[in-house]
Amino acid sequence: MKQYQNAADGLRLNFIARLVSIGCSIIMFIPIIGTLLGLYGQIACVVVMIVGLYLLSKDVSDVKIAFVLSIVSVVIATAKAASGGFFLLAIANTVIDFFVIYFVCKSVADSLKSHGMLEIADKGDLVWKINLICSAISIVVELVSWIPVLNILGAMVGALNSIASIVGDVIFFIFLYKSYRFYDTY
């Protein structure tokens, strides 16, 4: 067995689950059956991502924090949905989701740096920095959405933030893919 097989498997599961999650989001636009399939698919993807984080945490220690935070995030997201989207829960969920990304990217990047894989590690560092900025902007937009006139500006900033977030997600996909490929061969 390879030295970092759990890391490779965990990163692979996260990569695949995130890709499938995008497909589920698209399927949700199909009335009734697509909504149900997409919703159940999203739930399955979250479970697979958590399992992936658990596996990854066996080889990369700081990912244990991300694993625990991802479970907390699911609880908060469920409470947010049950409360009708209470904005403080939305802000808390944004913060926790950022820290999940941070601990995954930072700890995997540090591990990759120790193996001389600086190019891949730099992508991980870039991902969490983009995510930090996007998360901060999301929180500000959430707060100003309650203020008349500023909510219009907030919506425009939110749209631009979504584009930056997509760029960060693409880089995150590349990071996950290259990381799991490295650990798979190490």
Side-chain angles (χ1 to χ4, degrees), residues 28-105:
M28 289 178 86
F29 285 106
I30 300 169
I32 303 169
I33 193 75
T35 304
L36 289 174
L37 287 174
L39 177 64
Y40 292 130
Q42 290 285 10
I43 291 168
C45 287
V46 168
V47 171
V48 170
M49 282 185 233
I50 291 172
V51 169
L53 288 175
Y54 172 74
L55 289 173
L56 179 59
S57 71
K58 288 181 173 185
D59 288 344
V60 183
S61 63
D62 285 346
V63 177
K64 288 180 177 107
I65 299 168
F67 169 70
V68 171
L69 287 176
S70 66
I71 294 169
V72 172
S73 177
V74 169
V75 171
I76 291 174
T78 304
K80 181 179 88 173
S83 71
F86 184 55
F87 83 97
L88 288 178
L89 291 174
I91 290 171
N93 207 27
T94 299
V95 170
I96 298 227
D97 287 345
F98 161 72
F99 279 111
V100 170
I101 296 289
Y102 171 79
F103 283 111
V104 169
C105 290

Side-chain angles (χ1 to χ4, degrees), residues 139-152:
I139 291 169
V140 171
V141 167
E142 181 73 31
L143 291 172
V144 300
S145 69
W146 295 89
I147 303 170
V149 181
L150 283 181
N151 60 355
I152 297 168

Side-chain angles (χ1 to χ4, degrees), residues 4 7-8 11 60 108 111-112 179-186:
Y4 288 95
L11 289 164
V60 183
V108 172
S111 175
L112 290 167
S179 297
Y180 96 68
R181 297 288 294 181
F182 168 75
Y183 285 123
D184 214 17
T185 59
Y186 191 78

Side-chain angles (χ1 to χ4, degrees), residues 94 130-141 161:
T94 299
I130 290 172
N131 202 271
L132 172 64
I133 293 166
C134 290
S135 295
I137 291 171
S138 290
I139 291 169
V140 171
V141 167
N161 191 43

